[in-house]
Amino acid sequence: SDESYDDSYTIVRKKAVAFIISGKAYITTGDVGSLKNDVWEYTPSTDLWTTRTNFEGTTRTDAVAFTTENGRGFLATGQSSSLYFDDIWEFKPTETYDEED
């Protein structure tokens, strides 16, 4: 029922990226007063958002994201203040953060 859904999400932001992997939508990076690195996953069948492992790269805005035909997601470029990035990260939202990765 609608009563069981938790609508107190903190997803709102600007200059973020969004993409789809295996039928689920993801939003990450961007800012809302400060730069964000949290990752949110949307499951259409349940109409729910879930937090996932944070983006491991440097927080940024104005990045680009894309998904390949075989379901791999990537996040690239962007900026943090006056620093511009020319990197690319593979996005693995269901994996646990690995400090050695």
Side-chain angles (χ1 to χ4, degrees):
S1 73
D2 288 341
E3 290 80 34
S4 66
Y5 291 150
D6 178 10
D7 291 332
S8 61
Y9 304 120
T10 55
I11 301 171
V12 175
R13 63 197 65 206
K14 60 185 177 181
K15 300 181 179 184
V17 296
F19 50 98
I20 296 175
I21 298 174
S22 300
K24 295 185 178 187
Y26 296 90
I27 294 177
T28 189
T29 67
D31 79 81
V32 59
S34 63
L35 295 176
K36 307 292 282 178
N37 71 337
D38 57 335
V39 175
W40 287 89
E41 175 187 82
Y42 177 72
T43 305
S45 62
T46 60
D47 190 27
L48 291 175
W49 290 93
T50 307
T51 56
R52 288 301 195 178
T53 302
N54 286 352
F55 172 61
E56 293 184 30
T58 304
T59 56
R60 62 191 68 200
T61 61
D62 299 320
V64 296
F66 59 93
T67 308
T68 63
E69 193 172 287
N70 63 353
R72 294 173 64 192
F74 294 89
L75 187 147
T77 68
Q79 72 178 64
S80 176
S81 189
S82 62
L83 179 63
Y84 290 86
F85 300 107
D86 62 358
D87 57 352
I88 186 167
W89 293 78
E90 184 168 3
F91 185 74
K92 299 177 181 177
T94 57
E95 289 189 6
T96 306
Y97 175 77
D98 181 357
E99 200 170 303
E100 301 297 320
D101 191 10

